[in-house]
């Protein structure tokens, strides 16, 4: 869709929209152009399971975080408890962090 100010809007972009876009302006004195590269990435989705769990004091529990994302992008995981980052290396801590594959993280 070409807007009034010569701006191109791509609605509902897909992978097929990737590529180099060229804007060219011309008049009686010549022409000029500018190129922009468009890359379209897949949205990231996160699944934390179980989403609610009840345990008795002293029991262990495993929370698993799985993510699907564009394979061209790296993902960094961070676990928080009540909006505070967990410190896994803290002496005497009882949290254990495991990463099975780049898309799956578990905490016990």
């Amino acid at each position: 869709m070409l807007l009034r100010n010569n701006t191109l809007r791509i609605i509902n972009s897909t992978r097929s929209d990737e590529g180099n876009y060229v804007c060219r302006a011309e008049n009686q004195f010549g022409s000029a152009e500018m190129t922009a590269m468009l890359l379209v990435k897949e949205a990231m989705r996160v699944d934390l399971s179980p989403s609610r769990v009840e345990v008795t004091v002293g029991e262990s529990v495993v929370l698993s975080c799985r993510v699907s994302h564009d394979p061209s992008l790296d993902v960094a995981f961070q676990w928080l408890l009540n909006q505070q980052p967990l410190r896994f290396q803290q002496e005497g801590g009882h949290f254990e962090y495991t990463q099975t594959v780049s898309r799956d993280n578990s905490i016990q």
Side-chain angles (χ1 to χ4, degrees), residues 2-103:
L2 188 61
L3 303 178
R4 288 177 49 189
N5 61 356
N6 296 313
T7 300
L8 177 66
R9 175 181 287 171
I10 302 171
I11 299 170
N12 196 19
S13 61
T14 65
R15 288 284 202 176
S16 64
D17 295 317
E18 279 193 340
N20 292 317
Y21 288 80
V22 177
C23 176
R24 176 179 288 159
E26 297 180 2
N27 64 19
Q28 67 270 25
F29 299 110
S31 67
E33 64 183 38
M34 184 63 116
T35 303
M37 180 191 292
L38 176 66
L39 302 171
V40 180
K41 303 295 183 183
E42 294 293 327
M44 185 168 40
R45 290 177 299 284
V46 176
D47 175 40
L48 178 60
S49 61
S51 60
R52 179 182 167 92
V53 63
E54 292 183 25
V55 296
T56 303
V57 171
E59 288 183 337
S60 295
V61 62
V62 175
L63 300 177
S64 181
C65 180
R66 289 181 181 83
V67 64
S68 61
H69 64 93
D70 192 289
S72 68
L73 302 173
D74 291 332
V75 175
F77 290 88
Q78 183 179 30
W79 283 92
L80 298 103
L81 172 62
N82 298 323
Q83 303 301 319
Q84 298 297 316
L86 290 178
R87 295 187 186 103
F88 294 100
Q89 277 70 30
Q90 187 174 8
E91 196 166 317
H94 58 272
F95 294 108
E96 180 182 297
Y97 175 74
T98 60
Q99 183 175 7
T100 55
V101 293
S102 63
R103 296 180 184 175

